[in-house]
Amino acid sequence: MRLHLVDGTYELYRAHYSPRPGTTAPDGRDVKATAGVMDSLLALLHDEEEAVTHLAVAFDNPIRSFRNALFAGYKGDEGVPPELRAQFDLVEEAVAALGVRVWSMKDQEADDALATAAARWAGEVEQVRLLTPDKDLGQCVRGQRVVQVDRRQQKVMDAEGVKAKLGVAPESVPDLLALMGDDADGIPGLPGFGAKGASAVLQAYGHLEAIPDSAAEWTVKVRGADKLAATLKASREDARLYRTLATLVEDAPLPGTASLADLEWKGVPEARFKAFCEGLGLKSLQRRPKRWAA
């Protein structure tokens, strides 16, 4: 038994910017992104190797969270194309029409929902699979019990895979993002710290607090160490704030979910799914499901 946790916001954006043909509903609405997410999820549900038994999809709706109150530069709704923003509620209806549990996140983010579910149920399933390529989810990976899956690249990362890709163990990922920054989330990082230097220091020390103020005390050789050490010494409070922004919470509310049993996928509810597709003019999708709910 596996638990598949999908970053729905990532899937929505990916579908919107994909080269797939545009899709327009009978009432003139742009529904390309919604149709793309449905298509992607149907492919996942029908994938024999993935063998989906329990599943949830989380969305940022809106794209703001408690982190925006902590740091003004954190990602928000600015720049979201209006035709995409108009589908935030619609795509949640679409996923529910597939018989899949939806987590619509308000004060927390979709990634927080995934982190919470992974922490809560990792001990009850054979494997938790986090379906998103976002670097911050690397912090949730645990051995081969909780893994990160990039469906587009067809790559699966366990704890060793995270270390090979990012240069640090999963538990140091928030510290890494604090130092090097994360453009996707609006975390600036500290000046001078690139991925290579930040990961080298954290390989030696693990977390921000353990890094000595003076480069003369560092046990690892890093290019420009004196300058980097001085920057960190002067900006430790900033670094701690950035780490807080990058740290996923594990106690986010999961709407409609009291236990793992609430995430069991029992098939596509035929009447609901066909009615939804009919309303959006998605005739080709109506023929896609291979397993209907009893």
Side-chain angles (χ1 to χ4, degrees), residues 16 22-25 27-34 83-84 86-87 90:
H16 177 74
T23 305
T24 304
D27 60 7
R29 285 181 295 168
D30 182 337
V31 294
K32 173 187 173 182
T34 297
E83 67 276 16
L84 178 58
Q87 296 178 68
L90 180 65

Side-chain angles (χ1 to χ4, degrees), residues 66-67 108-109 111-117 139-140 244 247-253:
F66 70 92
R67 295 177 177 87
Q108 284 82 19
E109 299 179 39
D111 288 352
D112 294 315
L114 270 55
T116 297
Q139 67 191 268
C140 300
T244 297
T247 300
L248 301 179
V249 304
E250 296 183 347
D251 59 354

